[in-house]
Amino acid sequence: MVHRSLGQSTQELASGFLPPPPSPYEDGLLGGGPAPESELAFPIVDVQERTRRIPLMSVEQELDAARAAIQRSARRRRRVDPGRGGGNVTTADTWFDAGVEHGLVASVYRNPAAFHRSYREMEKRFKVYVYEEGEPPILHAGPCKNIYTIEGRFIEQLELMAPPAPPQGGRRGGGARSGVRTSDPARAHAFFLPFSVSKMVQFAYRPNTYDTTPLRAIVADYVRVVASRHPYWNRSAGADHFMLSCHDWGPEASRGHPELHANGIRALCNANTSEGFRPGQDVSVPEINLYTGDMPRQLLAPAPPLASRPFLAFFAGGRHGHARDLLLRHWKGRDPDVFPVYEHSHGQQDGPLDYYASMRRARFCLCPSGYEVASPRVVEAMYAECVPVILSNGYALPFADVLQWEAFSVAVPVADIPRLREVLERIPAPEVERLQRGVRLVKRHFMLHQPPERLDMFHMIMHSVWLRRLNLRLDR
């Protein structure tokens, strides 16, 4: 892994271009017709010359100052009431809800003081530059409905944050000002590659071929274009650049450019450590399925207390993958009054209303992996204030740099699914209540807002990228 410092030798970093494959620009997939050959083969010596003119120290000094502030806060671990401010946390009205006990905060967050300081430093300093090359639908846009919603919503939010007047005549003006996006790449701490793997699959993939070559070619071509037009990729070999994909083939698409795959920050829903996901370098993104583009209103209503939840656990879904098949083979229809496990949708004639109502009636919501490790049920469970039960192997859970998942979820190995009910029944009632309080505390981090709000999913993804630029852990 390449350390994400901008002070490395340009001679070492500005090398390694691959011979260009057939360009997706020629088919109009990236817009604007064929990319000029002179730009695809931008001379490295010119890139080096331009790199030498960039004021790198100001960016590195900001990162150093942030690291120092976070480390100072992490060392101050005195116990302070979250509602009184100072020390480990700030005041209740701006950080934690009033009345949240310190013990719960301390159990849910790895280091509340370090997280608070890191988040505040991010708000104060973090700048992201979004490359403007390319056109929709594959660039600068993504799906805002369906299982890949977060991919499109993240790209959309960054696009809406475009400064009103980019200094060098960017192709899009207008939009709301924001502290995170910058129009000055020399001030950026991170660079976003705004391609959508979901849209690549829609427009470039040949159905039923399982051939991901076109996806890798688009990624390779796009990285070559931005590396030839700008000096920023070459000075770090892509280590301060990031992509985001919620499609299962996001990791495979990243293989299109070896430096992106090896050095870049890959924000992925498919965060499978057995398939090359690196928790210290990559970012695990929560998966969310918005059929209409909005969170179902049933999950936005106040959640019922545990006493009003007759189900021990609930699941409804298809046989997608080994974990789900095992779950359905052992538990489907065995005890619908207490441990309802259904194939496909429970009460399918009633549609999603009954599905979400069942989640709100359960103490535990079963979240087995499908063909890939992530499941949208994790986020749905958070909204329903139902304790998620993670049934997956190799899943690097979202925001684990900050959150201690054992404080608000239960992890059961796939091999233990045959004894799943026994495992859950043995959890004492006070522990279930504690887990649900943890879910209620962290739910804000898994909510999508438009525009984004402080501490929500968009900003937590950004914070995960920020931590990787800092190369800093927030463990106790």
Side-chain angles (χ1 to χ4, degrees), residues 383-435:
Y383 274 78
E385 296 185 12
C386 175
V387 178
V389 180
I390 310 299
L391 302 170
S392 183
N393 295 331
Y395 185 19
L397 292 163
F399 315 142
D401 304 290
V402 169
L403 303 176
Q404 300 193 110
W405 278 76
E406 61 271 22
F408 56 90
S409 69
V410 176
V412 178
V414 172
D416 288 343
I417 285 177
R419 51 186 295 268
L420 179 58
R421 180 169 178 171
E422 175 189 351
V423 170
L424 298 179
E425 286 179 333
R426 292 178 64 179
I427 300 176
E431 175 67 7
V432 178
E433 293 175 0
R434 186 187 68 83
L435 290 169

Side-chain angles (χ1 to χ4, degrees), residues 154-187:
F154 186 88
I155 295 172
E156 177 187 74
Q157 292 302 335
L158 275 179
E159 293 294 312
L160 291 174
M161 291 176 179
Q168 296 183 6
R171 63 176 181 81
R172 287 177 304 280
R177 289 186 179 273
S178 169
V180 69
R181 184 168 178 182
T182 180
S183 60
D184 181 2
R187 299 292 306 133

Side-chain angles (χ1 to χ4, degrees), residues 20-322:
S23 172
Y25 282 86
E26 296 174 1
D27 296 325
L29 296 176
L30 303 187
E37 183 177 348
S38 61
E39 292 177 344
L40 286 174
F42 198 90
I44 291 177
V45 64
D46 288 349
V47 173
Q48 292 173 328
E49 178 59 33
R50 291 166 68 185
T51 301
R52 281 193 286 269
R53 296 199 296 267
I54 297 171
L56 303 182
M57 288 304 295
S58 60
V59 172
E60 283 300 299
Q61 286 174 339
E62 283 190 306
L63 295 176
D64 285 340
R67 291 186 193 103
I70 295 165
Q71 289 166 346
R72 284 195 301 271
S73 293
R75 287 193 293 266
R76 293 197 299 266
R77 291 167 55 188
R78 62 184 182 273
R79 298 171 67 86
V80 176
D81 183 351
R84 296 179 182 173
N88 279 356
V89 292
T90 187
T91 56
D93 60 336
T94 59
W95 196 251
F96 296 107
D97 293 331
V100 176
E101 66 270 26
H102 173 81
L104 179 62
V105 172
S107 68
V108 166
Y109 294 92
R110 294 189 178 278
N111 189 316
F115 173 48
H116 172 244
R117 176 50 58 191
S118 175
Y119 194 93
R120 293 294 297 271
E121 291 292 322
M122 178 190 74
E123 290 182 315
K124 181 169 66 173
R125 304 179 189 275
F126 193 36
K127 301 296 181 185
V128 173
Y129 181 76
V130 182
Y131 286 109
E132 295 194 349
E133 282 75 11
E135 297 290 341
I138 290 177
L139 278 302
H140 306 286
C144 291
K145 299 179 182 179
N146 72 31
I147 194 71
Y148 308 126
T149 292
I150 189 58
E151 184 174 305
R153 289 284 288 270
F154 186 88
I155 295 172
E156 177 187 74
Q157 292 302 335
L158 275 179
E159 293 294 312
L160 291 174
M161 291 176 179
Q168 296 183 6
R171 63 176 181 81
R172 287 177 304 280
R177 289 186 179 273
S178 169
V180 69
R181 184 168 178 182
T182 180
S183 60
D184 181 2
R187 299 292 306 133
H189 304 91
F191 297 80
F192 182 55
L193 301 165
F195 55 72
S196 168
V197 176
S198 301
K199 290 294 186 179
M200 291 180 199
V201 173
Q202 181 180 349
F203 289 97
Y205 170 70
R206 290 179 295 173
N208 302 318
T209 63
Y210 297 97
D211 179 10
T212 60
T213 303
L215 316 184
R216 296 195 303 272
I218 292 173
V219 170
D221 197 62
Y222 190 71
V223 171
R224 268 194 299 273
V225 168
V226 299
S228 65
R229 294 180 179 178
H230 307 274
Y232 310 105
W233 178 277
N234 295 288
R235 72 183 184 185
S236 71
D240 53 359
H241 287 58
F242 72 104
M243 59 168 280
L244 186 143
S245 173
C246 214
H247 197 280
D248 292 352
W249 288 344
E252 184 63 23
S254 73
R255 294 179 182 273
H257 195 283
E259 288 181 337
L260 173 61
H261 184 261
N263 306 329
I265 302 169
R266 301 179 305 160
L268 304 169
C269 288
N270 187 6
N272 191 338
T273 57
S274 68
E275 296 180 359
F277 182 88
R278 304 150 300 194
Q281 178 173 334
D282 299 325
V283 171
S284 177
V285 175
E287 189 170 81
I288 185 167
N289 192 354
L290 300 186
Y291 297 95
T292 66
D294 297 311
M295 183 59 69
R297 57 181 176 80
Q298 305 94 301
L299 293 182
L300 297 175
L306 284 176
S308 302
R309 295 173 181 255
F311 300 155
L312 173 65
F314 168 72
F315 171 80
R319 293 179 182 266
H320 307 311
H322 172 65

